[in-house]
């Protein structure tokens, strides 16, 4: 089948701009599925050959047949997974880039932790009960609040005092508080060549916590506490490079995560993924989460990163790397190796 | 008239490097007007075909005839406006990119506020009198101090206590203090096609406030207060990308500002402009200022931004975008649509 | 001798990726010398034509003959100097890019200070004895701890109290504490043309100090002091541009440093170097260190910086600039002007 018979499709949000632009650069036609009223960015940058508008994401399953007929391959990103829901993604029958079987390991906190631990990574300690708290901790809420309300407690008593301000929150995790700088590591593992690449690094830009330090301590203490309570809502990303001597270790971390994933599910993890880490002054790399797909932290690099430019003679975003992988699979007649 | 008959000229400061480089990339000859002793950057990077040296910016009107003879088109930037003064810019008769009539709406705080409000944007509340303060505020001084001496007050009493340290300052504004992260949005509106583009985003790098957080609270409290008083002097800019799901809203904000400007003055705002915003954890985008011309926050992108690379197959800085617009106007014989 | 007879070699760490990639882009074959087990980054990005593995850096002198036979030119970076030791670098007889005679001026704190002062730069005051402390100071330890344990003291008494927590540290410097934002200025001085270029700017990403501000003052005070003590371990770098009006001054600073170096040693300083500065709200640029070679702060710019793109029509990293310089020297038959 000719290359141009396939189309690359994704949902208009998150990292769709680089996915679509990358697909076009690799010679694919592109389709973006947008909530009505959210098409403008894709028109403005002219990255979508076709825009399919839906009223609500729950309409998404209804357009499956259309996508199938158009020979679309869906590139999933966080918004796609969130909007569709884990279960529906599995049932979805449009060709899908990536391994759907890995999704539940990312979604289930316990499975995820086990995966990372078995990969030999260093993880922050989790305390099942406030009674076990034996060091400074950060308490993270899950679900709708999206980064709001997290707090730091220095011991059980402090925890008990502060949790009272969140009477309706039952779903939280008590995590060892590791003081270091955040770094998000972007990998790409090819299921065609079994090779791993580092695509780049970023630092999130979070509101309001990344502005907190701009208020002097005297002012912070003078202002009402609720005014300066940190929240961690991601509003952007900033480019970053890592100390080069850390790279061998960082590469191995990625390799081990992939190796371990193959023990968990057939074919294991492939495509883009991200380790969310804290680097401590002791030069430990503490991993607090994995994202088993493209993350928005690769968006600073729509025209290639300081790392991808080392390897490629063209601008290679993570979005384009996905399209390149699919193109290679088509050429080798191995689409089954890259689809869900 | 042949394209190369026109020359692009600007003052050697602010964002002149990208303006001149961009103009050369579009095929124009370039002229930079420099204060004596400040020519080196333009020589070093070889972006100026001609350097005109003046002793002082008030000599600028004197070289008008020279510029006219050379068929120069002036690209204004903040330093140009500041050095020339608003009134003199209006009288200036060298062809000028942009709408001079919009300048007073940028300069007059009340007109600016009205403009932004009528564009449907969210603005921080302004308190006319200290008596009205009903929440945390930041007090900003204007004029010569350029970012020094701003302070935060939590109520009227706190304001009255702190304003005493600034006995000579009469020109200040009492603004609602919004805790969120700063983001500067760079737009370009074409008066030829009536289309808007997002050129990119940046975060300012301000001294000393962007270093304040690197001092522990214990140390801040131990140091003398005047040692750790924040100041907001811009010394640089850092690249940034925004969460993709915010883009539809951000595009509309720009469109509304342009639409509103057309009700204010003939032709309205066109060319590059910038909304200076704070993004809150509640995902509100609060606008505290507009710059109706190129801003230095586009300087990280002399070789294109993660956004302009989506649309163009060449490195498109904001400076180059201006030159491209002028070139298109010349070709369409519509220079009157882009000149002041 | 034909260009391709020479090979560019460096140690696999620090800034080797851009050095090797840049050399290849200029047409050289490349060699990377790696500690066993640290080869992966150089394979992954395919920047090394040859990898020489050693068990330990003290084996490095043993491979001199091999490198000589291969017509290798060594590009030194910080890790190279650190691993080899200053004395051994001088004895090393493989062709070496840069002026070895300048090394001791960089290594000896007093010589370095004299150099910078005689270049007319502003330096933070150094206090020889705690008794002399008359303002806020930062106390920096040298050697193995690499950025850990630095502390701020507001006066002699405060110093005496805090130094007790470091009973084993004898090697420290008491430096005036200058509150401003850090900026690392990357220069390149050509010994062929006697011209200086600014290659770009960066901001270091240091653990944990760049995360400290993300903890509210209330939390910092609640946590144990040792938990929130700042440390300054460099884990990465972030791109940055400087306010354009500072450039003339910044260029002159670099020129003066080079001019002064010529009074110190024959030929003086050439190639890449870095001034490590703090920019204050008063717009003073305070220089606290010089690195007389390529620094890792140029790593964000493997594909060129916002500054090098102004001058070159190709991606010019500092690593590539070195290779270009060597190529030009070969072509002009002036290798003696660029080698150690």
């Amino acid at each position: 089948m000719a290359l141009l018979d396939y189309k690359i499709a994704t949902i208009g949000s998150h990292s769709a701009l680089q996915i679509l632009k990358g697909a076009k650069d690799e010679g694919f036609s592109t389709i973006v599925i947008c909530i009505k009223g959210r098409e403008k960015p894709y028109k403005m940058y002219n990255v979508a050959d076709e825009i399919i508008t839906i009223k609500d994401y729950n309409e998404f399953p209804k357009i499956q047949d259309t996508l199938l007929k158009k020979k679309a391959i869906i590139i999933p990103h966080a918004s796609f997974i969130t909007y569709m829901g884990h279960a529906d993604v599995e049932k979805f029958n449009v060709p899908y880039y990536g391994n759907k079987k890995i999704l539940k390991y990312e979604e289930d906190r316990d499975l995820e932790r086990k995966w990372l631990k078995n990969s030999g990574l260093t993880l922050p300690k989790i305390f099942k009960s406030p009674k076990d708290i034996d060091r400074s901790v950060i308490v993270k809420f899950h679900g709708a609040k999206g980064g709001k309300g997290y707090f730091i407690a220095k011991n059980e008593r402090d925890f008990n005092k502060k949790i009272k301000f969140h009477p309706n929150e039952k779903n939280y995790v008590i995590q060892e508080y590791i003081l270091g700088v955040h770094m998000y590591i972007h990998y790409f593992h090819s299921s065609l060549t079994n090779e791993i690449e580092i695509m780049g690094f970023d630092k999130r830009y979070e509101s309001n916590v990344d502005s907190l330090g701009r208020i002097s301590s005297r002012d912070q203490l003078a202002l009402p506490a609720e005014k300066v309570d940190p929240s961690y809502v991601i509003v952007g990303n900033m480019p970053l490079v890592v100390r080069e001597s850390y790279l061998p270790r960082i590469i191995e971390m990625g390799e081990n995560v992939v190796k371990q994933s193959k023990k968990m599910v057939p074919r294991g993890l492939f495509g883009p993924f991200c380790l969310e880490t804290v680097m401590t002054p002791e030069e430990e790399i503490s991993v607090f989460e994995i994202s088993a797909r493209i993350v928005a932290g690769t968006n600073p690099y729509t025209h290639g990163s300081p790392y991808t430019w080392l390897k490629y003679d063209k601008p290679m975003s993570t979005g384009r790397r996905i399209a390149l992988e699919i193109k290679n699979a088509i050429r080798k007649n191995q689409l089954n190796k890259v689809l869900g």
Side-chain angles (χ1 to χ4, degrees), chain A:
Chain A
M1 194 179 286
L3 173 60
L4 293 179
D5 267 7
Y6 286 99
K7 292 190 172 65
I8 297 293
T10 196
I11 280 189
S13 191
H14 190 270
S15 51
L17 285 169
Q18 61 160 306
I19 290 171
L20 299 168
K21 165 68 169 159
K24 283 180 76 76
D25 284 345
E26 290 299 327
F28 289 100
S29 285
T30 57
I31 301 169
V32 66
I33 299 111
C34 283
I35 293 293
K36 199 167 170 49
R38 304 183 64 80
E39 309 89 346
K40 278 182 182 167
Y42 309 98
K43 285 185 186 162
M44 174 188 283
Y45 295 116
N46 195 24
V47 291
D49 295 305
E50 191 176 345
I51 298 180
I52 298 179
T53 307
I54 56 182
K55 271 197 208 142
D56 197 286
Y57 285 120
N58 59 28
E59 275 187 22
F60 196 68
K62 294 185 198 162
I63 60 167
Q64 284 193 78
D65 287 345
T66 313
L67 292 173
L68 275 169
K69 263 180 230 150
K70 290 179 187 289
K71 295 213 168 100
I73 297 173
I74 279 279
I75 314 299
H77 50 54
S79 305
F80 177 84
I81 309 284
T82 307
Y83 296 140
M84 291 281 292
H86 169 231
D88 278 354
V89 169
E90 290 231 30
K91 281 181 285 175
F92 197 57
N93 65 0
V94 179
Y96 169 104
Y97 178 73
N99 192 343
K100 286 179 185 173
K101 294 213 167 53
I102 214 76
L103 286 177
K104 72 170 178 193
Y105 289 83
E106 181 194 39
E107 218 188 12
D108 179 310
R109 220 166 297 280
D110 292 330
L111 287 177
E112 182 194 17
R113 237 182 120 70
K114 228 164 138 183
W115 177 11
L116 296 175
K117 277 204 157 172
N118 288 340
S119 305
L121 306 183
T122 306
L123 276 73
K125 206 171 141 86
I126 297 290
F127 299 94
K128 303 247 163 158
S129 155
K131 283 176 199 150
D132 304 330
I133 298 176
D134 63 357
R135 66 196 75 184
S136 308
V137 295
I138 182 164
V139 181
K140 297 179 173 177
F141 299 104
H142 295 295
K145 291 191 116 186
K148 262 174 264 175
Y150 291 6
F151 67 83
I152 292 170
K154 61 176 171 174
N155 52 35
E156 183 189 356
R157 209 175 121 192
D158 197 25
F159 171 89
N160 286 330
K161 199 179 78 187
K162 289 173 176 169
I163 195 72
K164 283 184 192 143
F165 296 106
H166 306 273
N168 302 318
E169 292 290 346
K170 303 290 166 219
N171 186 13
Y172 56 78
V173 68
I174 306 173
Q175 201 179 65
E176 176 185 9
Y177 186 66
I178 293 178
L179 186 50
V181 292
H182 290 254
M183 194 173 267
Y184 298 82
I185 313 173
H186 307 295
Y187 297 94
F188 186 92
H189 178 74
S190 168
S191 51
L192 299 175
T193 66
N194 205 23
E195 282 173 355
I196 205 164
E197 287 166 61
I198 290 177
M199 307 301 285
F201 300 85
D202 86 294
K203 173 185 175 336
R204 287 182 183 164
Y205 193 45
E206 293 172 336
S207 182
N208 60 14
V209 73
D210 279 314
S211 225
L212 208 55
R214 289 168 52 103
I215 311 172
S216 75
S217 293
R218 280 177 182 83
D219 279 339
Q220 284 193 41
L221 296 175
L223 288 171
E226 67 278 11
K227 184 81 192 173
V228 288
D229 263 351
S231 52
Y232 303 82
V233 176
I234 309 169
V235 301
N237 302 85
M238 304 183 76
L240 193 66
V241 299
V242 77
R243 195 168 167 167
E244 192 163 314
S245 60
Y246 292 2
L247 283 179
R249 206 168 13 137
I250 288 170
I251 295 171
E252 272 162 33
M253 287 166 60
E255 287 173 340
N256 291 339
V257 162
V258 170
K259 205 180 293 171
Q260 180 59 27
S261 74
K262 290 181 180 169
K263 297 179 191 161
M264 292 154 25
V265 300
R267 298 194 297 165
L269 172 67
F270 60 83
F273 65 100
C274 173
L275 290 180
E276 316 187 1
T277 74
V278 168
M279 305 214 164
T280 74
E282 292 74 29
E283 307 194 34
E284 265 209 295
I285 305 178
S286 194
V287 180
F288 54 96
E289 221 167 289
I290 185 169
S291 297
R293 37 173 178 82
I294 190 169
V295 298
T298 61
N299 284 341
Y301 306 121
T302 60
H303 190 62
S305 84
Y307 295 90
T308 62
W309 276 109
L310 295 169
K311 175 163 181 176
Y312 297 96
D313 280 328
K314 40 192 164 187
M316 189 58 68
S317 68
T318 296
R320 183 170 182 175
R321 184 66 189 80
I322 294 170
L324 174 63
E325 189 79 353
I326 294 171
K327 193 163 89 174
N328 287 339
I330 294 170
R331 284 182 174 159
K332 294 180 178 180
N333 206 16
Q334 298 185 330
L335 258 185
N336 63 316
K337 281 199 173 176
V338 302
L339 297 185

